[in-house]
Amino acid sequence: MPEISKITTQKKSKHRFNIFLKENEQEYYGFSVNEDILIEYYLRKGLFLTAEMIEQIQEKDESYKAYALSVKYLSYRMRSEQELIDYLQRKEVDDTYIGEVISRLKQEGLVDDLAFSEALVRTRIQTSSKGPLLIKKELTEKGINATIMEQALSLYTFGKQFEKVEKLLQKKLQASSKKSRRQQMDSIKQSLMHKGFTFDVISEVLNNMELEHDHDEEYNAILFQGEKLVTKYQKKNSGYELKQKVKAALFRKGFPADLIERFMEEKLSEH
């Protein structure tokens, strides 16, 4: 039966210790343990260890290392259970120890998918322009199950979505544009849907907003678009045909009929 001949502190970690064993007058390196394991098993010089005891100590130490690795990973920010599992697997931790560590961390409240999901939803509401559908996608990628996900997303109420969409829409409308009002609105709707907002909340905001229609601004847009179209089409067309092509193109771009007629009279009368 091997006997502990000496215990030394590791150079790179003062909380880990090398255990040297002696058997038949031959000393050799046995294994290493964390400080807590050293104390728990009261490892000391002169202690005899059976093969079963050594195996048990090493298994306990492997579990402890997985736990310490997890706690360090969690210290940077909250993680979902799946994120932690993926991390430990990348670190080549045995699945047996991963299960033990996850159970322990859940009991200690360090891994809680509902708390994690609710915190993520609150953060995205406060600091991003993401809608609920994008946040749902993010939670799915982090391994959150459907029940917890829906519970967390309930924090993103219709009222909060409405406020967010309204602010985003107003901001975009304030920006100068060379597009027709209809094109601007279509572009804004598409942008909001890409951000993860539903058509229902976007429509509700639009229905409740009093959108001022600046004809002067839109006429500047039609001048810009119309002159580009004239330059494009007059290479191969002239007269009535040129006017019809320009007029049709402006309709497709969403400009109102009165502004199109004004442009045609003021800018294409010479053609």
Side-chain angles (χ1 to χ4, degrees):
M1 185 184 300
E3 173 190 3
I4 297 178
S5 58
K6 67 178 179 181
I7 300 174
T8 62
T9 306
Q10 290 189 352
K11 292 181 180 180
K12 293 184 178 180
S13 176
K14 63 180 181 179
H15 297 293
R16 287 197 66 79
F17 296 85
N18 295 322
I19 309 298
F20 290 86
L21 303 174
K22 184 171 68 175
E23 198 170 7
N24 299 324
E25 300 303 319
Q26 294 292 320
E27 186 180 71
Y28 58 93
Y29 168 78
F31 52 90
S32 66
V33 294
N34 188 272
E35 184 178 21
D36 290 357
I37 307 298
L38 185 82
I39 294 170
E40 181 180 346
Y41 284 88
Y42 194 38
L43 301 178
R44 62 203 182 276
K45 184 178 179 180
L47 179 68
F48 287 92
L49 299 173
T50 64
E52 290 76 14
M53 286 177 65
I54 292 173
E55 183 178 357
Q56 184 182 38
I57 291 168
Q58 288 180 309
E59 287 179 353
K60 188 80 171 183
D61 188 64
E62 286 299 318
S63 180
Y64 186 89
K65 282 194 288 187
Y67 175 79
L69 199 62
S70 301
V71 170
K72 184 177 180 180
Y73 185 59
L74 292 168
S75 68
Y76 300 109
R77 67 166 175 83
M78 292 179 73
R79 314 278 181 174
S80 68
E81 179 179 336
Q82 190 59 53
E83 280 185 301
L84 182 56
I85 291 171
D86 293 342
Y87 172 75
L88 292 175
Q89 288 176 339
R90 289 197 300 272
K91 292 293 184 179
E92 299 182 349
V93 175
D94 189 273
D95 287 346
T96 303
Y97 302 123
I98 291 177
E100 291 177 5
V101 167
I102 293 294
S103 296
R104 178 178 173 181
L105 291 170
K106 281 184 175 179
Q107 290 175 356
E108 294 173 351
L110 294 176
V111 171
D112 183 332
D113 274 0
L114 178 58
F116 167 83
S117 301
E118 290 179 339
L120 186 145
V121 171
R122 290 192 191 95
T123 300
R124 296 296 178 265
I125 293 172
Q126 294 168 3
T127 64
S128 79
S129 60
K130 289 184 176 181
L133 298 181
L134 273 189
I135 299 174
K136 184 175 183 178
K137 181 174 181 291
E138 190 174 356
L139 290 170
T140 301
E141 290 169 350
K142 293 182 183 298
I144 305 301
N145 71 50
T147 303
I148 291 176
M149 193 185 307
E150 292 306 316
Q151 191 173 343
L153 285 169
S154 67
L155 296 173
Y156 207 162
T157 62
F158 190 88
K160 290 179 180 178
Q161 293 176 50
F162 186 97
E163 290 175 10
K164 182 82 71 174
V165 169
E166 190 174 42
K167 288 179 181 178
L168 290 169
L169 198 148
Q170 288 174 338
K171 183 178 179 181
K172 286 184 176 294
L173 285 175
Q174 288 170 1
S176 60
S177 174
K178 298 297 184 182
K179 296 180 179 180
S180 69
R181 188 67 165 188
R182 195 186 79 185
Q183 278 186 319
Q184 288 183 61
M185 296 309 299
D186 288 345
S187 177
I188 289 170
K189 289 176 188 176
Q190 197 66 32
S191 173
L192 289 169
M193 292 180 77
H194 283 157
K195 288 181 181 294
F197 293 99
T198 64
F199 184 76
D200 289 345
V201 71
I202 295 170
S203 298
E204 188 73 18
V205 171
L206 290 172
N207 291 337
N208 282 272
M209 284 183 70
E210 293 184 6
L211 300 174
E212 296 180 1
H213 196 157
D214 190 331
H215 277 272
D216 289 338
E217 183 179 340
E218 186 153 29
Y219 189 63
N220 289 332
I222 202 173
L223 286 175
F224 176 79
Q225 297 288 348
E227 287 169 0
K228 284 177 63 178
L229 290 168
V230 171
T231 302
K232 174 183 177 182
Y233 289 125
Q234 70 181 0
K235 295 176 182 178
K236 295 182 179 180
N237 305 277
S238 62
Y240 177 80
E241 189 176 356
L242 172 62
K243 291 178 181 180
Q244 289 302 107
K245 283 188 174 292
V246 171
K247 190 174 184 178
L250 289 173
F251 270 119
R252 289 196 297 272
K253 289 181 179 292
F255 289 102
D258 59 329
L259 289 185
I260 294 176
E261 290 303 328
R262 179 182 167 188
F263 174 79
M264 301 301 291
E265 289 174 9
E266 293 181 4
K267 297 297 178 182
L268 282 182
S269 58
E270 67 272 21
H271 292 275

